[in-house]
Amino acid sequence: MIQVAQILFILSVLVILHEFGHYITAKMFKVRVEKFYLFMDAGFSLFKKKIGETEWGIGWLPLGGYVKLSGMIDESLDAEQMNGEPQPWEFRSKPAWQRLIIMLGGIIVNIILAWFIFTILFATVGQKYIATDKIQANGLAFGEVGQKAGFRNGDKILSVDGKYQPSYNRITLDVLLGNKVEVERNGAKVDVILSDEMKGEIISKEGKEFAGPRFSNTVVDSVVPKSAANIAGLQKGDKIKALNGAAFTFYDEFKDSISKHKNDSISLTVLRGTQIVELKAKVDQEGKLGFFNKPLDKLDYEVTNHLTFAQAIPAAVKESWSLLVYNVKQFKLILRPKTEAYKHVQSPIGIARRLPNTWDWEFIWNFTALFSIGLAFMNLLPIPGLDGGHALFTIAEMITGRKLSDKAMGYVQTGGMIILLSLMALTFGKDIYQLIMDKLL
């Protein structure tokens, strides 16, 4: 329930402020706002109240929100209002440049919101990130797909497309969005080139887990009940020092050794407290024992830049711009079929499942700022039904001097809404199906 509450809070903040961007710019140019709704009121609303000329309300369907402007064919697809003579207070009566500003008002507010949130966070709790140089001090450990792609355990990522990334939080994304990864391997520089097919494998099978810190110790954090590790007597806190008498330095070396002993019996040398204990275990058919290694303590790798308010302002602008660029690159990745990245686009249901189970205001505001940039980019797409679609036709009108007829605009808007609703149905359906399957399995 906390995850649901978080996503509803974040969506509410973003939708209200996005629509307020349209509302305030419409009022600036004296356009009548008939409705202002948080969420969609298909059929009925949970709450509504008429104040002046505007009906304010909350819909029952948490799929965004809208403002309805007089004299405009929008998401409501109401074309009857266009039959009469244009009135001074109507959207269609305003100059193209004013209509363009109104259309971009929500996007502008989303970008300003992200910039504002990052400024406050950087000036109060600081600018935090996992330091790349710290986390790969011993190199990185790669999963099976990562190694198949050409990486090797112990590699240090030096740059992606010639650029060094100081924040490890974005290394995986940089690798998937880039073309050439330069790594340091045994003191030499090596280039790794990923094909779209290989990127697709990483996305579908390992995701962010395709690379991680190279742990110098194998320390049992928890044991799976009835597993081989449990039967062998492994306990939380045990440090595994050797396998079949052969010592190893890194946890990935232990994993590689274990995978070579599928359905085989092995001996483990374990340090328990101050005593050495010898255990016998049977590796399962997947090459696993059934325990989890002690996870990353991000505080060991986290860097906090404490900024003054004056320093936080440009840093927040830079962060907002960086996120917008990442959204553009991710969209390009989605459009490349061989990566199959389009299969992993998530609805608010899928996003909610990734949120923490505890209410953390710092995380929530960070996520809100990130999501706000994502919403701004999505609305910039030149698809009819989105702000970018309206803006595209308005810009074309400003260039050519010709305005699309109301009838044609109605057809275009209907087509755009069909596309958007179809995409929403697919993403929501996929996430609902995954949720049900996770509960059943």
Side-chain angles (χ1 to χ4, degrees), residues 57 99 157 205 208 226 269 317 397:
R99 286 184 274 121
I157 296 178
K205 293 181 180 180
K208 290 184 178 180
K226 300 181 181 179
T269 302
V317 171
E397 177 190 338

Side-chain angles (χ1 to χ4, degrees), residues 18-19 21-22 65 67 72 74-75 99-100 102-108 110 375-376 378-395 413 420:
H18 177 89
E19 298 305 332
H22 295 307
V67 292
M72 176 184 175
D74 55 13
E75 293 88 342
R99 286 184 274 121
L100 181 62
I102 293 172
M103 284 300 95
L104 297 178
I107 295 170
I108 293 169
N110 279 133
L375 184 61
M378 184 185 72
N379 273 282
L380 267 175
L381 296 176
I383 300 173
L386 294 177
D387 297 341
H390 289 292
L392 178 65
F393 288 116
T394 306
I395 292 171
Q413 192 74 1
L420 290 175

Side-chain angles (χ1 to χ4, degrees), residues 259-274:
S259 66
K260 297 174 183 176
H261 293 277
K262 296 177 181 178
N263 293 317
D264 195 6
S265 295
I266 60 169
S267 63
L268 299 174
T269 302
V270 173
L271 177 63
R272 182 173 294 165
T274 57

Side-chain angles (χ1 to χ4, degrees), residues 109-407:
V109 167
N110 279 133
I111 294 173
I112 292 174
L113 173 64
W115 165 74
F116 176 76
I117 291 174
F118 283 134
T119 298
I120 299 302
L121 286 174
F122 292 171
T124 52
V125 298
Q127 186 179 29
K128 299 180 180 180
Y129 61 92
I130 302 297
T132 299
D133 57 345
K134 285 189 175 184
I135 207 166
Q136 59 177 7
N138 297 318
L140 297 174
F142 296 87
E144 183 179 344
V145 178
Q147 294 187 52
K148 181 181 175 183
F151 295 98
R152 298 291 178 265
N153 289 334
D155 284 355
K156 295 182 180 181
I157 296 178
L158 301 178
S159 66
V160 179
D161 291 342
K163 295 181 180 179
Y164 172 71
Q165 175 58 265
S167 173
Y168 181 76
N169 310 59
R170 291 175 178 167
I171 280 286
T172 303
L173 197 54
D174 282 349
V175 169
L176 294 175
L177 299 177
N179 295 309
K180 185 177 75 173
V181 183
E182 184 181 59
V183 302
E184 180 186 313
R185 182 179 299 164
N186 300 323
K189 293 182 179 180
V190 178
D191 290 338
V192 178
I193 310 295
L194 299 182
S195 65
D196 282 355
E197 291 86 352
M198 190 54 66
K199 289 179 180 180
E201 266 200 76
I202 292 174
I203 293 170
S204 61
K205 293 181 180 180
E206 293 179 345
K208 290 184 178 180
E209 305 303 317
F210 101 99
R214 202 176 193 203
F215 293 109
S216 57
N217 290 307
T218 301
V219 183
V220 178
D221 184 64
S222 62
V223 178
V224 178
K226 300 181 181 179
S227 66
N230 182 236
I231 295 170
L234 270 179
Q235 299 177 10
K236 181 176 181 179
D238 283 352
K239 296 181 179 180
I240 303 176
K241 309 300 290 184
L243 171 65
N244 289 341
F248 52 86
T249 304
F250 299 103
Y251 174 61
D252 59 87
E253 294 175 337
F254 172 77
K255 285 179 64 179
D256 289 344
S257 297
I258 282 288
S259 66
K260 297 174 183 176
H261 293 277
K262 296 177 181 178
N263 293 317
D264 195 6
S265 295
I266 60 169
S267 63
L268 299 174
T269 302
V270 173
L271 177 63
R272 182 173 294 165
T274 57
Q275 295 185 336
I276 295 293
V277 180
E278 297 291 336
L279 301 176
K280 299 293 183 180
K282 177 74 178 291
V283 183
D284 67 18
Q285 61 184 7
E286 294 181 355
K288 298 179 180 179
L289 282 178
F291 76 90
F292 293 97
N293 199 52
K294 188 176 180 180
L296 163 73
D297 184 350
K298 73 173 187 177
L299 295 179
D300 291 338
Y301 305 96
E302 189 174 75
V303 170
T304 302
N305 291 332
H306 297 283
L307 306 177
T308 64
F309 187 76
Q311 293 171 326
I313 293 174
V317 171
K318 183 178 179 181
E319 180 73 3
S320 300
W321 173 253
S322 176
L323 288 173
L324 189 58
V325 171
Y326 271 113
N327 273 275
V328 174
K329 289 183 177 179
Q330 288 179 82
F331 186 70
K332 289 180 179 179
L333 191 69
I334 290 170
L335 294 179
R336 286 152 65 177
K338 290 182 180 179
T339 68
E340 297 189 339
Y342 60 89
K343 293 182 179 180
H344 300 273
V345 176
Q346 293 183 315
S347 70
I349 293 174
I351 294 171
R353 297 184 67 197
R354 293 164 47 199
L355 298 175
N357 290 313
T358 56
W359 194 277
D360 182 341
W361 279 113
E362 184 180 338
F363 175 88
I364 288 172
W365 286 121
N366 258 307
F367 195 86
T368 301
L370 185 150
F371 209 167
S372 189
I373 293 294
L375 184 61
F377 170 74
M378 184 185 72
N379 273 282
L380 267 175
L381 296 176
I383 300 173
L386 294 177
D387 297 341
H390 289 292
L392 178 65
F393 288 116
T394 306
I395 292 171
E397 177 190 338
M398 294 170 70
I399 295 173
T400 65
R402 294 182 179 181
K403 186 177 181 181
L404 203 64
S405 69
D406 293 337
K407 185 177 181 179

Side-chain angles (χ1 to χ4, degrees), residues 5-18 38-39:
Q6 287 180 93
I7 196 65
L8 285 176
F9 172 80
I10 292 168
L11 285 175
S12 298
V13 170
L14 294 178
V15 170
I16 289 173
L17 292 178
H18 177 89
L38 168 64
F39 304 147

